Amino acid sequence: QKEVEQDPGPLSVPEGAIVSLNCTYSNSAFQYFMWYRQYSRKGPELLMYTYSSGNKEDGRFTAQVDKSSKYISLFIRDSQPSDSATYLCAMSYNTNAGKSTFGDGTTLTVKP
Amino acid sequence: GAVVSQHPSRVICKSGTSVKIECRSLDFQATTMFWYRQFPKQSLMLMATSNEGSKATYEQGVEKDKFLINHASLTLSTLTVTSAHPEDSSFYICSANPIVGQPQHFGDGTRLSIL
């Protein structure tokens, strides 16, 4: 069993839809939870990160962490075609937030 | 703007060639950098942790002699794929932490194709 499981997708939604991306994990020692966006042939771009449980909002993006359920989510409101990309969740143990463990990614397509 | 720069972005070369990939931290010093490998439609797999002024730490299953890492300065780490073969073809990505306690930022990756 993988340490981090991510809904594989692919996901296709119409422009303006609310998108929900999810990951589960097995290791309760994870403390930092990140979401990255990766466009084709590019490196991952950090979207949001949270420490421990709770919600964090940044514009159209909301990240949620539920440590009791070992479940994290990223919500995208009013999705745009430019949001079409692969989204990777990632988690790490320590304060340096290095050596992260990644999910396999969910590919999202937002159709105009 | 980008905080981690990677070069080159694309390499195509013959089997048996050694290829060097550079990873630079922009406007910050990085005592630690990370090298990942990503196959198509798969996630990032950590290969090694590059430590400035000391030996790199390799993940299990990664050949040290195959993937040479040098971190000679606080802003530059290099990954050399020695005697590359077609099975080494992949997307190689480096990362570093601009701010201690915050997540990694990634370079744009190097797509390596060995013919």
Side-chain angles (χ1 to χ4, degrees):
Chain A
Q1 184 186 4
K2 293 181 181 178
E3 276 193 299
V4 178
E5 298 275 2
Q6 183 168 359
D7 290 349
L11 198 56
S12 181
V13 300
E15 184 175 354
I18 296 174
V19 176
S20 173
L21 303 166
N22 308 293
C23 289
T24 58
Y25 63 96
S26 57
N27 192 332
S28 58
F30 286 132
Q31 295 289 336
Y32 287 80
F33 304 91
M34 288 73 73
W35 285 96
Y36 290 88
R37 178 174 62 195
Q38 186 175 24
Y39 291 113
S40 181
R41 301 178 183 274
K42 291 289 188 180
E45 169 196 0
L46 179 65
L47 277 178
M48 299 185 71
Y49 74 96
T50 54
Y51 172 73
S52 198
S53 284
N55 294 358
K56 187 173 183 178
E57 188 173 321
D58 183 1
R60 297 184 295 111
F61 299 90
T62 299
Q64 288 186 352
V65 174
D66 182 347
K67 290 194 72 178
S68 63
S69 301
K70 298 190 181 68
Y71 188 87
I72 71 169
S73 300
L74 177 71
F75 297 95
I76 307 173
R77 291 182 299 281
D78 188 26
S79 55
Q80 302 294 310
S82 58
D83 295 329
S84 298
T86 296
Y87 290 80
L88 299 160
C89 64
M91 306 173 191
S92 64
Y93 305 115
N94 56 34
T95 55
N96 193 34
K99 203 171 181 178
S100 301
T101 301
F102 286 81
D104 283 346
T106 301
T107 299
L108 170 67
T109 301
V110 181
K111 297 183 177 180
Chain B
V3 296
V4 177
S5 174
Q6 197 169 335
H7 179 81
S9 58
R10 183 82 166 99
V11 180
I12 303 173
C13 57
K14 294 180 180 179
S15 184
T17 307
S18 291
V19 178
K20 181 185 284 188
I21 303 169
E22 294 185 346
C23 181
R24 295 183 184 274
S25 57
L26 306 179
D27 300 323
F28 71 98
Q29 295 181 335
T31 56
T32 303
M33 292 183 178
F34 303 92
W35 286 98
Y36 290 83
R37 185 172 180 175
Q38 186 179 34
F39 290 105
K41 299 189 185 300
Q42 294 187 24
S43 192
L44 284 75
M45 297 300 296
L46 180 66
M47 298 175 66
T49 302
S50 175
N51 303 301
E52 187 270 334
S54 64
K55 291 182 180 180
T57 305
Y58 290 82
E59 296 299 301
Q60 190 173 8
V62 178
E63 298 177 57
K64 300 178 183 181
D65 296 331
K66 177 73 170 178
F67 299 100
L68 299 179
I69 291 173
N70 184 282
H71 195 151
S73 80
L74 286 170
T75 60
L76 173 65
S77 173
T78 60
L79 169 68
T80 300
V81 184
T82 61
S83 186
H85 290 91
E87 59 266 29
D88 299 321
S89 298
S90 189
F91 193 49
Y92 293 87
I93 313 173
C94 69
S95 71
N97 293 69
I99 302 173
V100 173
Q102 293 192 9
Q104 305 165 63
H105 287 248
F106 288 83
D108 266 347
T110 297
R111 189 163 302 280
L112 175 63
S113 298
I114 307 298
L115 305 177

